[in-house]
């Protein structure tokens, strides 16, 4: 079966609908406001996303979702990335939904996933800690069994969309093992539980990331997703499936920034001619296009492999490394094309620069994913 990146008719309709939504309901003024808000969304936008089925796009129909492919989810998030639309659409509708699908028992799936698809519950993954890493060895938050409950203690950093979340999926150690991939369990924690404190991390490039402190937070045994000490392998599967959808969001960002720079190069006149006629400006735009295309091809190859049940691990790591670097570089080059005007917080290029920085590390920075690719090459 040959790789075919052409969109199906339904995917074309999904893309058109999402782009129309961005133009109509999320113009630049709204995006600027949302990026500075703690939740990243409004009730009106959230309700419309629910009505269009976007929160349940990859959730199976038996759990109230649309049961679309990961490629279709990528098409949707590429369109959302053109804004770039903030909010817990990815955190809840993709990453957390896949985590519940991979880890939860049938009763948990029946309880949680319909609420996510309907937008009544908003989930986000609380994984990374002060000893920052996307490897299991960095998980030091503890969950101790006591009187029929678990008591959680620890600090989670760079938790995306934590202020918007009604629940956290918390990775915690329930046993110390020589193998760091063992002894980790996952818990669904109500964000309003006693002992939970959420603080937005400061900095323009921190984006909607938060510190989540867990101080003797009590959760019932039924809050554990999956088996005890068995959380990491299932969580890793969910993250791997989620990564290319996040990459597609960055592809959309790259496309929007390239389009902006092209339009500006045609209309901005300097020394009596459009700046797009200057070779240096042409060079920068060509480099931007190269980065965009590399991100798009690697992303959709990974999505295609996942949807067709092909070995996809190397492609997933490659897509994340390439798309993160591409989004960063495209935004940096765009600022050189636009010059001073784009450094205003109100300029749409700055929206993407901000997103490209806080998403650069999310689910693993390029260096981390290149290391994973190297491991595959060494063991082949």
């Amino acid at each position: 079966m040959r790789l075919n990146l052409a969109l199906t008719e339904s995917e074309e309709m999904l893309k058109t609908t999402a782009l129309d939504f961005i133009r109509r309901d999320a113009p630049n003024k709204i995006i600027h406001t949302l990026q500075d808000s703690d939740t990243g969304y409004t009730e009106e936008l959230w309700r419309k996303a629910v009505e269009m089925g976007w929160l349940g796009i990859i959730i199976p129909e038996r759990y109230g979702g649309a049961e679309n492919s990961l490629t279709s989810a990528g098409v949707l998030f590429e369109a959302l990335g053109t804004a770039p639309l903030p909010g817990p659409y990815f955190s809840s509708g993709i990453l957390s939904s896949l985590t519940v699908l991979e880890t939860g028992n049938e009763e948990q799936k029946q309880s949680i996933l319909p609420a996510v698809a309907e937008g009544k519950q908003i989930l986000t993954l609380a994984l990374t800690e002060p000893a920052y890493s996307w490897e299991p060895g960095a998980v030091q938050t503890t969950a101790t069994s006591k009187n029929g409950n678990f008591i959680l203690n620890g600090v989670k950093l760079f938790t995306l969309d934590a202020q918007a979340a009604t629940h956290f999926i918390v990775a915690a150690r329930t046993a110390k093992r020589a193998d760091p991939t063992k002894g980790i369990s996952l818990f669904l924690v109500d964000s309003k539980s006693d002992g939970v404190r959420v603080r937005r991390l400061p900095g323009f490039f921190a984006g909607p990331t938060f510190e989540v402190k867990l101080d003797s937070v009590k959760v019932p045994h039924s809050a554990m997703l999956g088996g005890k000490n068995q959380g990491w392998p299932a969580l890793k599967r969910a993250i791997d499936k989620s990564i290319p959808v996040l990459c597609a969001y960055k592809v959309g960002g790259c496309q929007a920034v390239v389009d902006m720079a092209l339009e500006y190069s045609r209309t901005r006149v300097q020394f009596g001619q459009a700046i797009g006629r200057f070779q240096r400006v042409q060079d920068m735009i060509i480099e931007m296009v190269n980065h965009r295309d590399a991100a798009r091809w690697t992303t959709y190859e990974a999505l295609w492999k996942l949807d067709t049940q092909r070995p996809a691990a190397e492609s997933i790591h490659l897509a994340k490394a390439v798309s993160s670097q591409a989004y960063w570089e495209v935004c940096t080059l765009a600022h050189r094309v636009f010059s001073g005007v784009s450094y205003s917080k109100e300029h749409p290029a700055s929206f993407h620069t901000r997103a490209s920085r806080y998403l650069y590390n999310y689910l693993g920075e390029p260096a981390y994913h290149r290391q994973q690719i190297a491991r595959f090459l060494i063991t082949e």
Side-chain angles (χ1 to χ4, degrees), residues 31 118 273:
I31 298 299
E118 295 170 6
Q273 59 183 332

Side-chain angles (χ1 to χ4, degrees), residues 312-333:
E314 290 181 56
S315 295
I316 290 166
H317 292 304
L318 181 63
K320 183 59 169 69
V322 171
S323 65
S324 290
Q325 196 67 46
Y327 198 15
W328 180 295
E329 296 295 345
V330 165
C331 291
T332 300
L333 288 162

Side-chain angles (χ1 to χ4, degrees), residues 14-15 18 53-55 57 71-81 300:
L14 176 62
K15 179 180 178 180
W54 293 350
L55 275 304
I57 188 167
T71 297
S72 293
V75 170
L76 169 62
F77 276 84
E78 180 179 343
L80 300 183
Y300 281 94

Side-chain angles (χ1 to χ4, degrees), residues 116-147:
V116 171
E118 295 170 6
K120 295 178 180 178
Q121 283 190 12
I122 301 174
L123 278 54
T124 192
L125 175 65
L127 175 59
T128 52
E129 301 191 6
Y132 178 82
S133 172
W134 292 94
E135 295 285 0
V139 176
Q140 298 300 316
T141 294
T142 59
T144 307
S145 183
K146 183 178 181 181
N147 300 327

Side-chain angles (χ1 to χ4, degrees), residues 18-315:
L19 290 174
D20 286 344
F21 169 81
I22 293 296
R23 284 190 288 266
R24 183 183 63 251
D25 297 297
N28 291 337
K29 184 177 179 180
I30 296 296
I31 298 299
H32 180 229
T33 301
L34 292 178
Q35 282 197 329
D36 286 329
S37 72
D38 282 344
T39 62
Y41 73 97
T42 65
E43 290 297 330
E44 182 181 5
L45 287 175
W46 192 250
R47 175 175 48 79
K48 289 181 178 179
V50 170
E51 290 172 354
M52 290 185 282
W54 293 350
L55 275 304
I57 188 167
I58 50 87
I59 293 175
E61 290 182 357
R62 65 183 181 276
Y63 302 127
E67 200 169 349
N68 283 315
S69 66
L70 288 171
T71 297
S72 293
V75 170
L76 169 62
F77 276 84
E78 180 179 343
L80 300 183
T82 62
L85 185 69
Y89 305 95
F90 174 82
S91 299
S92 189
I94 302 297
L95 179 55
S96 295
S97 294
L98 285 169
T99 302
V100 174
L101 284 168
E102 290 288 344
T103 62
N105 58 40
E106 187 61 26
E107 182 181 353
Q108 290 170 330
K109 293 174 185 177
Q110 291 284 358
S111 172
I112 298 168
L113 294 174
V116 171
E118 295 170 6
K120 295 178 180 178
Q121 283 190 12
I122 301 174
L123 278 54
T124 192
L125 175 65
L127 175 59
T128 52
E129 301 191 6
Y132 178 82
S133 172
W134 292 94
E135 295 285 0
V139 176
Q140 298 300 316
T141 294
T142 59
T144 307
S145 183
K146 183 178 181 181
N147 300 327
N149 298 300
F150 280 98
I151 308 300
L152 275 63
N153 285 283
V155 177
K156 298 293 185 178
L157 288 181
F158 306 109
T159 301
L160 196 63
D161 302 311
Q163 194 64 58
T166 62
H167 295 78
F168 304 125
I169 297 176
V170 177
R173 289 214 166 268
T174 42
K176 288 188 176 182
R177 301 285 173 82
D179 184 348
T181 65
K182 299 178 180 179
I184 294 176
S185 303
L186 302 179
F187 297 88
L188 189 68
V189 179
D190 192 315
S191 63
K192 303 302 181 184
S193 299
D194 290 340
V196 174
R197 288 180 292 170
V198 177
R199 178 179 69 91
R200 185 164 186 169
L201 295 174
F204 181 73
F205 291 140
T209 61
F210 296 79
E211 174 190 74
V212 177
K213 286 188 176 181
L214 305 163
D215 186 6
S216 299
V217 177
K218 182 168 67 175
V219 298
H221 275 246
S222 60
M224 181 184 289
L225 297 171
K228 186 177 180 181
N229 301 325
Q230 301 172 16
W232 184 259
L235 176 60
K236 182 67 166 58
R237 290 195 299 271
I239 290 175
D240 285 349
K241 291 178 181 178
S242 301
I243 282 173
V245 179
L246 180 64
C247 294
Y249 183 88
K250 298 179 186 184
V251 170
C254 289
Q255 182 65 63
V257 176
V258 168
D259 290 343
M260 277 190 280
L262 277 170
E263 179 62 24
Y264 187 76
S265 73
R266 295 180 183 125
T267 57
R268 176 73 167 99
V269 175
Q270 190 62 265
F271 304 111
Q273 59 183 332
I275 63 170
R277 291 185 176 274
F278 298 120
Q279 183 174 345
R280 186 66 189 106
V281 174
Q282 294 171 1
D283 290 343
M284 288 188 286
I285 292 176
I286 289 169
E287 190 174 350
M288 293 166 68
V289 169
N290 287 339
H291 282 299
R292 178 206 63 191
D293 288 351
R296 171 168 282 119
W297 280 93
T298 54
T299 291
Y300 281 94
E301 180 184 23
L303 289 166
W304 173 74
K305 285 185 175 180
L306 286 168
D307 282 334
T308 56
Q309 308 301 311
R310 284 169 165 75
E314 290 181 56
S315 295

